[in-house]
Each structure stands twice: as structure tokens, then as C-alpha cells.
Amino acid sequence: MLPSDLFYSESVASVAGMSGTAAGLGTIVAFILIGHFSDARQALGGHSFDPIIIVAGLVPFVAMILTLLLIRNSQATERGLVRPV
């Protein structure tokens, strides 16, 4: 989904900037957590990256489900009352 598909043209740049910032911060947090969990699992003597790979594989699926649940047609779009392009 692009911000231009969901927001008015006056808000698209702000939304894109906020999503880029969130993506950068999420990447930093993910690297920190991956290092922490990998080190903790390695200390236990197990395979350190197995749970990380499983979670990484589930993230796109969860994102798809959230997109389908949170972004849906409303009564305004069914009546043709969408914003002008």
C-alpha cells in the first residue's frame, strides 16, 4: 500500500516521512533484539538462529493479515464518495 492510496495529497509526504522513520527505528531495534536473542540461545547450546528465522518468516504474513483487517472499503467508497484524484 502506498500512502498516496490512503491519504489526501496534502498528507502524503508527512505519512511517507513518518513511515520511513519508523522503518529505520524498527531496523535498529530488530538488530539489537536479534543479537540479544542469538547470544542468549547460543549460551544454551542450541541453534541460535532458528527462532529468529521462524519469526522473520511470519512477519510478512502478519503484515498481510493486518493490512486486510485494517484497510477496507467503507460505505463512502461503496457509494462512490471517494476523494477526488
Side-chain angles (χ1 to χ4, degrees):
M1 288 271 129
L2 297 174
S4 60
D5 294 333
L6 301 172
F7 296 96
Y8 292 108
S9 59
E10 298 86 21
S11 304
V12 171
S14 297
V15 172
M18 288 188 287
S19 66
T21 301
L25 292 174
T27 301
I28 292 168
V29 170
F31 277 126
I32 291 170
L33 290 176
I34 288 171
H36 172 74
F37 288 124
S38 176
D39 289 345
R41 296 249 330 148
Q42 191 173 16
L44 295 174
H47 296 267
S48 59
F49 280 103
D50 288 348
I52 296 167
I53 298 298
I54 291 169
V55 170
L58 290 175
V59 167
F61 180 71
V62 171
M64 178 198 67
I65 296 297
L66 287 174
T67 301
L68 292 174
L69 290 175
L70 297 175
I71 301 172
R72 57 186 173 266
N73 287 333
S74 65
Q75 291 178 354
T77 56
E78 290 173 4
R79 291 182 300 197
L81 301 175
V82 295
R83 65 179 174 85
V85 178

